[in-house]
Amino acid sequence: MNVRAWKSKVSGSAPLRLIAGAALLGLALHCGPALAQGAAQAVTLGPSGLPLPRFVSLKSGRVNSRIGPGTNYSVDWMYTKAGLPMEIVQEYDTWRKVRDADGAEGWINQSLLSGKRTAIVAPWQRGKGDQIKLFYSPAKDAEVIALVEPGVIGTIKSCTGDWCEMTLGGHTGWINQSLVWGAYPGEKIKD
């Protein structure tokens, strides 16, 4: 897997500091995966009528995340990876407060977000040397069709609440739902 920059911190007049995909995902989340995925949060409806929190993805390969809900607020982060999963945690007019896999939060205009579900495979396990099994069917004793590095981004096809069918690097198979950041524990997603 190529290491690509997909997020940069913007701070005043200082030069942009790029965080490589591997380094970003290598940041260990100090809380467990369930808490990192927002499992402790209750689902409520936002002003849009859609549930909060919820997962979405970035439409564009260049998206600014601002410190407040409007273009008059300064840019804090710039995301440079289309399809990157984000968790919407708050809404204000056409702006959405989002959280990324390493916990950074900011405001992005809704026009730059997509309902297409993507996920990052076990970003909290990055750098531990483990590979995640992608199975032919949703069972631990099923045939393994690929080994996936933690931190890889893929498209979610469906989730049963325990397993997610995902496309990762051209391979489609099943991964334990507790090993993805982009679907809540127990959440069911249909094609």
Side-chain angles (χ1 to χ4, degrees), residues 6-8 10 16 62-65 75-80:
W6 58 342
K7 176 180 173 182
S8 56
V10 179
L16 295 179
R62 185 177 170 106
V63 176
N64 289 333
S65 174
V75 174
D76 192 29
W77 291 100
M78 181 188 306
Y79 293 96
T80 57

Side-chain angles (χ1 to χ4, degrees), residues 9 23 37 141 149 178:
K9 179 75 171 166
Q37 294 183 21
D141 60 352
E149 294 285 330
S178 67

Side-chain angles (χ1 to χ4, degrees), residues 5-180:
W6 58 342
K7 176 180 173 182
S8 56
K9 179 75 171 166
V10 179
S11 57
S13 60
L16 295 179
R17 293 177 296 172
L18 296 180
I19 299 175
L24 170 67
L25 294 171
L27 295 174
L29 296 175
H30 297 290
C31 51
L35 182 57
Q37 294 183 21
Q41 297 178 6
V43 175
T44 60
L45 294 183
S48 67
L50 296 172
L52 288 177
R54 68 180 179 277
F55 281 104
V56 294
S57 60
L58 298 180
K59 274 186 188 178
S60 174
R62 185 177 170 106
V63 176
N64 289 333
S65 174
R66 298 179 177 273
I67 63 170
T71 56
N72 56 325
Y73 290 94
S74 63
V75 174
D76 192 29
W77 291 100
M78 181 188 306
Y79 293 96
T80 57
K81 174 73 177 158
L84 186 67
M86 302 296 264
E87 182 181 30
I88 295 178
V89 295
Q90 190 176 346
E91 299 177 346
Y92 177 77
D93 194 27
T94 61
W95 292 85
R96 304 296 179 255
K97 186 173 188 181
V98 298
R99 179 182 305 130
D100 65 22
D102 70 338
E105 292 185 352
W107 291 86
I108 295 176
N109 191 281
Q110 69 178 6
S111 66
L112 298 170
L113 300 171
S114 169
K116 180 181 177 183
R117 296 295 292 270
T118 62
I120 301 174
V121 175
W124 53 85
Q125 290 187 10
R126 181 79 179 137
K128 294 184 180 178
D130 296 332
Q131 291 187 322
I132 309 300
K133 294 176 182 176
L134 186 67
F135 295 98
Y136 181 76
S137 61
K140 288 189 180 206
D141 60 352
E143 178 185 347
V144 175
I145 58 174
L147 294 175
V148 181
E149 294 285 330
V152 171
I153 298 173
T155 303
I156 296 176
K157 294 185 71 173
S158 65
C159 292
T160 66
D162 294 316
W163 293 88
C164 288
E165 184 180 20
M166 294 184 64
T167 300
L168 299 154
H171 299 281
T172 300
W174 293 86
I175 190 167
N176 191 297
Q177 194 160 332
S178 67
L179 295 175
V180 299

